């Protein structure tokens, strides 16, 4: 089963499943971005639109893309905000976004499914305006070391979605190599994760070369 096929099947139950990673991601995205405002946002791998609803409230316009027709269909059914448009696109291929069209690019729980990080950072850099921001939230690689893989169960059958391991330094190196500075690097735990490795890793990258801040964590990120 390909990643694309897997997500289209999973789209039927993605929102209803118990999923601490999905829920924590929604929490931390609201915490990090909720008080900010952007003229134009590009969301990569929007899935069923879980974060698109928030982005619609903080962005003048939101362009949300995903390569799973099933996921996009769910997102369209969920979001009726007039400032949001959806498109089918594979972000591993060159993006059709116009250069410097967006001031925020958002990507949540997607890059574990891409083998190569550098092309995504190159395209995000091209798509962002000067001093634009790239917010990235991912399953923490420590969880992958422990065997966690995106997976779902339907009709008693468990299915794993193919994934690739990217270490923390891989994200930083790929981002800096394409002209981003690390503005914030944070690690996050769900309320039920006490004593376990962090569940999520998030970054705010800025187009530019100055390292402004590394390592600040919000209250809910502490184990
Ligand atoms: C775990 S879901 C996360 C969805 C959403 N961002 C969220 O946080 O709920 C991963 C999403 O990434 C999409 N995806 C994975 N690889 C992709 C690619 N190469 N291009 C576009 N979308 C992709 C999948 O179709 C799926 O909707």
């Amino acid at each position: 089963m390909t990643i694309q096929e897997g997500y289209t099947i999973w789209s039927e139950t993605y929102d209803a499943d118990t999923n601490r990673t999905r829920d924590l991601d929604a929490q931390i995205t609201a915490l990090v971005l909720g008080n900010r405002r952007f003229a134009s946002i590009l969301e990569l791998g929007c899935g069923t639109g879980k974060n698109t609803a928030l982005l619609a409230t903080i962005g003048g316009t939101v362009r949300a893309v995903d390569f799973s027709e099933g996921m996009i269909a769910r997102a369209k059914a969920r979001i009726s905000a007039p400032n949001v448009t959806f498109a089918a696109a594979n972000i591993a291929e060159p993006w059709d976004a116009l250069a410097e069209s967006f001031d925020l690019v958002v990507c949540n729980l997607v890059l574990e499914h891409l083998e190569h990080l550098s092309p995504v950072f190159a395209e995000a850099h091209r798509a962002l305006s000067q001093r634009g921001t790239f917010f990235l939230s991912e399953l923490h690689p420590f969880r992958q070391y422990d065997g966690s893989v995106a997976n779902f169960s339907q009709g008693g059958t468990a299915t794993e979605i193919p994934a690739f391991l990217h270490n923390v330094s891989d994200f930083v190196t790929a981002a800096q190599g394409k002209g981003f500075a690390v503005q914030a690097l944070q690690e996050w735990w769900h309320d039920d994760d006490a004593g376990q490795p962090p569940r999520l890793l998030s970054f705010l990258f800025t187009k530019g070369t100055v390292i402004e801040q590394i390592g600040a964590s919000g209250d809910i990120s502490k184990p």
Side-chain angles (χ1 to χ4, degrees):
M1 182 185 298
T2 65
I3 296 166
Q4 203 169 7
E5 289 165 346
Y7 271 110
T8 285
I9 296 168
W10 194 1
S11 68
E12 294 161 19
T13 55
Y14 185 85
D15 291 328
D17 288 349
T18 300
N19 186 334
R20 291 186 181 88
T21 302
R22 176 204 61 205
D23 295 345
L24 179 63
D25 179 76
Q27 266 186 290
I28 67 119
T29 301
L31 194 66
V32 174
L33 297 179
N35 290 329
R36 299 169 186 241
R37 294 294 177 269
F38 301 90
S40 53
I41 299 175
L42 174 62
E43 184 185 16
L44 309 174
C46 63
T48 61
K50 176 199 87 204
N51 294 326
T52 318
L54 168 76
L55 299 177
T57 67
I58 65 167
T61 62
V62 179
R63 180 83 166 152
V65 306
D66 200 291
F67 75 170
S68 159
E69 295 288 354
M71 284 288 193
I72 288 258
R74 296 266 165 183
K76 281 182 178 167
R78 178 187 204 153
I79 310 285
S80 57
N83 59 335
V84 178
T85 55
F86 292 98
N90 182 349
I91 64 162
E93 296 171 355
W95 306 355
D96 66 5
L98 296 175
E100 304 191 356
S101 300
F102 300 94
D103 56 358
L104 175 68
V105 172
V106 178
C107 187
N108 296 63
L109 308 178
V110 180
L111 293 190
E112 71 179 283
H113 300 302
L114 274 79
E115 184 172 7
H116 302 294
L117 296 178
S118 286
V120 174
F121 283 101
E123 288 295 78
H125 196 273
R126 192 170 67 86
L128 279 168
S129 56
Q130 294 305 313
R131 305 296 298 165
T133 301
F134 186 3
F135 177 67
L136 179 60
S137 169
E138 276 299 310
L139 181 68
H140 201 294
F142 293 175
R143 292 278 173 160
Q144 290 178 292
Y145 304 155
D146 284 346
S148 285
V149 180
N151 72 91
F152 62 96
S153 280
Q154 285 177 357
T157 305
T159 303
E160 288 189 354
I161 311 259
F164 302 91
L165 176 67
H166 302 299
N167 292 299
V168 176
S169 57
D170 295 332
F171 288 106
V172 173
T173 302
Q176 290 179 331
K178 297 303 175 190
F180 284 101
V182 179
Q183 185 184 358
L185 184 169
Q186 294 174 279
E187 296 171 312
W188 307 91
W189 287 259
H190 188 277
D191 286 345
D192 298 338
D193 288 342
Q196 295 186 51
R199 182 177 290 270
L200 292 179
L201 169 68
S202 76
F203 296 94
L204 280 170
F205 295 111
T206 308
K207 233 174 135 166
T209 53
V210 180
I211 296 179
E212 295 168 10
Q213 175 194 357
I214 296 180
S217 291
D219 286 342
I220 66 166
S221 74
K222 302 217 168 59

